[in-house]
Amino acid sequence: NLKFDGGLESLRTIKPKGFKKVGHFDSLCVYGYCYMRKEERTFNLERISEIKINPKKIEYWSDL
């Protein structure tokens, strides 16, 4: 689950590629392919509330 400034959360499935520091404060982030957005994305680890690792199966979540 990712939490944003407005308090909204979204559930993402990503294929991580690695970690990097981003921004003025060198925030630690994970980056990789986001299946919801269908593009490479970067996610701040401080905003991730829960991680589930599943190397054998890709699951997709949607509110639609």
Side-chain angles (χ1 to χ4, degrees):
N1 292 344
L2 300 171
K3 189 169 274 190
F4 299 96
D5 291 332
L8 300 174
E9 290 188 8
S10 68
L11 195 55
R12 306 287 181 98
T13 299
I14 67 168
K15 183 176 183 179
K17 290 188 174 181
F19 297 93
K20 63 183 175 180
K21 290 186 177 185
V22 176
H24 181 70
F25 297 105
D26 287 333
S27 299
L28 186 59
C29 298
V30 61
Y31 66 95
Y33 184 80
C34 174
Y35 289 94
M36 185 175 104
R37 298 286 186 196
K38 298 180 182 167
E39 64 183 8
E40 295 288 320
R41 302 288 288 210
T42 300
F43 302 96
N44 186 328
L45 291 180
E46 290 184 3
R47 294 184 179 190
I48 297 175
S49 62
E50 183 179 352
I51 296 174
K52 293 182 182 179
I53 299 172
N54 189 346
K56 296 181 181 180
K57 181 179 174 185
I58 296 176
E59 298 179 26
Y60 299 91
W61 292 278
S62 175
D63 290 334
L64 301 177

